[in-house]
Amino acid sequence: AQSVTQLGSHVSVSEGALVLLRCNYSSSVPPYLFWYVQYPNQGLQLLLKYTTGATLVKGINGFEAEFKKSETSFHLTKPSAHMSDAAEYFCAVSDDGNQFYFGTGTSLTVIP
Amino acid sequence: NAGVTQTPKFQVLKTGQSMTLQCAQDMNHEYMSWYRQDPGMGLRLIHYSVGAGITDQGEVPNGYNVSRSTTEDFPLRLLSAAPSQTSVYFCASRGTGITEAFFGQGTRLTVV
């Protein structure tokens, strides 16, 4: 089975600062990779996904992530944090598109 | 277009009681799944379905049953609730291929 590691259960950044949320996965073959965001008391919403092709993936709300096969990583970044980015972020992987494995989540706090 | 609808939003059960969490989607998606979300553990897959009449176990299936008699509905049954099943439950659906999953708003279940 896949496993997903999100380093840092809580990350705090100042408004306007770089956001970097880390995700590493275990897989012997390139998986499908996803980042989801969860706002309080809501379901998860897709930010971006990598399936094939370009390794730098752009998503909604100014987020992007880069698939690095050699590092088995799919870190999420945003150049300038906004107050509205405060939420829980989940990295997820899938080998076959049926079973998805989620990381434990990173709670992002944006400090004004 | 309602997306994925879960009912109820909140539920308190006594140990040993049974109940069904309802999930319905109106996007004609083939794939549906149930996850539970626990603090520090992310989302874990309970059961999933790749189409009407077809279900399979996920990572944590024990204590839960599912059925898929129609494309739209995917109920999750707890036959004899236990305190360990206290959690937030999310239903998700997606179309064919490696597409994003759409999540419901969640059901917060407490078993006392």
Side-chain angles (χ1 to χ4, degrees), chain B residues 11 16 26 28 32-34 36 46 55 59 62-63 74 81-82 84 92 96 99 103 105 109:
Chain B
Q11 183 71 50
D26 60 1
N28 202 31
M32 296 187 73
S33 51
W34 276 101
R36 60 177 289 173
I46 304 171
T55 64
E59 191 180 355
N62 292 340
F74 191 44
S84 60
T96 55
T99 58
F103 284 80
Q105 297 286 301
L109 176 67

Side-chain angles (χ1 to χ4, degrees), chain A residues 20-103:
Chain A
L20 171 61
L21 305 182
R22 300 178 187 273
C23 174
N24 289 88
Y25 63 91
S26 68
S27 176
S28 59
V29 297
Y32 305 110
L33 298 157
F34 305 79
W35 275 100
Y36 282 85
V37 61
Q38 184 182 31
Y39 297 103
N41 300 314
Q42 295 189 25
L44 279 70
Q45 176 185 358
L46 182 70
L47 274 178
L48 48 80
K49 67 180 180 182
Y50 169 80
T51 56
T52 60
T55 56
L56 182 63
V57 180
K58 295 187 184 299
I60 62 172
N61 301 338
F63 284 93
E64 61 183 35
E66 186 171 11
F67 168 54
K68 291 188 176 180
K69 181 181 176 181
S70 61
E71 298 177 7
T72 60
S73 69
F74 191 56
H75 301 331
L76 181 71
T77 61
K78 181 174 180 178
S80 177
H82 192 273
M83 296 299 294
S84 61
D85 294 327
E88 187 96 16
Y89 292 81
F90 292 92
C91 180
V93 302
S94 177
D95 282 334
D96 59 3
N98 285 334
Q99 292 211 35
F100 287 75
Y101 297 90
F102 285 81

